[in-house]
Amino acid sequence: MKDLKEINNNLKKYINESKFISNSCRNKLLKILADTYSVDLPLENFANIDVQLTENGNIIMRGDEYESSAKVNTQEELYEKYLIFEAKADKLLAKKSQNLNTKKDINNILNIIIVISLSIIYVIVGFLAINAIFSLNFFTASILIAVLFSYLHPNINNRFEQARNYLKRRFKK
C-alpha cells in the first residue's frame, strides 16, 4: 500500500502528463480527481496547478484546501479511492495520447500534400520561365524567375524540412 507522499507524487505526475497533452485534458483529470474524492474543485485555466491530497480526503489546490463531502476514515479507504482515480486517469491519458499522435500524423500527411503541390507549382513555373526565355519574352521570364526565387508560402523551407523529417521517421520504423 502506498503512503500519502507517494500518492501525492503520483498525482503530480498525472497532472504534468495531462498538462503536456492539453489544458482541457488536465481539467478533465482534475474533475475525475474531484469526483473520486467527492470534492468541489474550481476548474480554472491557470498555467500551473499543484494538487495535494490530505489524510482525510481533502484536496489542497493552489494553496486552498477544498473539503470532501465524504470524509475518508482510514488509510485503506484513501488508497482504494486513489486506485479508482488511477484507473480512470490512465484510461483518459491513454485515449488522449492516442488522439494527439493521430492528429500529429494527419497534420504531417497534410503537410506532405502541400509540399508536393508546391513542388508541382515550382516545376510548372520553371518550365514557363524556360519557355519565356526561349521565346525571347524577357519581361515575363524575369517575373517567373523572381517567383521561383521568392517564397510562395511564408514558411516553405520549414514545410519541406518537416516533411523530410516526418518521412525519415516513418521509414526508419
Side-chain angles (χ1 to χ4, degrees):
M1 188 164 84
K2 296 182 180 183
D3 65 334
L4 187 59
K5 184 176 180 182
E6 192 174 343
I7 289 174
N8 282 329
N9 286 338
N10 287 340
L11 283 177
K12 288 178 186 178
K13 289 177 188 175
Y14 279 116
I15 297 295
N16 289 336
E17 189 176 341
S18 64
K19 171 66 174 142
F20 177 73
I21 295 173
S22 70
N23 273 342
S24 66
C25 181
R26 182 193 64 191
N27 287 344
K28 286 179 184 178
L29 190 79
L30 288 173
K31 186 169 179 359
I32 290 171
L33 180 67
D35 290 344
T36 303
Y37 286 97
S38 303
V39 176
D40 186 28
L41 286 178
L43 299 178
E44 300 167 353
N45 286 326
F46 291 111
N48 296 318
I49 291 182
D50 188 30
V51 175
Q52 279 187 318
L53 196 59
T54 63
E55 294 132 2
N56 56 1
N58 294 342
I59 297 176
I60 300 172
M61 185 172 84
R62 296 190 53 84
D64 296 330
E65 185 169 346
Y66 298 94
E67 292 192 21
S68 174
S69 59
K71 296 286 184 192
V72 175
N73 297 325
T74 63
Q75 187 77 12
E76 290 80 23
E77 189 178 349
L78 183 75
Y79 183 66
E80 287 173 8
K81 285 188 176 191
Y82 171 74
L83 289 177
I84 293 169
F85 164 76
E86 191 175 40
K88 290 179 182 178
D90 286 337
K91 184 178 177 182
L92 173 73
L93 292 177
K95 177 182 163 188
K96 291 292 183 177
S97 178
Q98 182 181 10
N99 287 346
L100 183 67
N101 290 335
T102 305
K103 186 176 179 181
K104 284 182 182 178
D105 283 346
I106 290 171
N107 287 341
N108 282 323
I109 291 169
L110 180 63
N111 186 40
I112 288 173
I113 292 170
I114 290 171
V115 165
I116 290 171
S117 301
L118 288 174
S119 298
I120 291 170
I121 290 171
Y122 270 104
V123 169
I124 291 171
V125 170
F127 282 133
L128 291 174
I130 291 171
N131 190 21
I133 290 172
F134 286 136
S135 67
L136 300 176
N137 193 351
F138 295 117
F139 181 73
T140 304
S142 64
I143 290 174
L144 291 174
I145 290 173
V147 167
L148 281 177
F149 288 112
S150 68
Y151 294 105
L152 292 177
H153 190 274
N155 296 320
I156 190 73
N157 286 336
N158 291 342
R159 284 195 179 272
F160 276 100
E161 187 69 27
Q162 287 173 358
R164 187 175 64 84
N165 290 339
Y166 174 71
L167 291 174
K168 273 183 174 178
R169 278 195 316 268
R170 291 302 281 185
F171 289 122
K172 191 181 269 188
K173 289 181 181 179

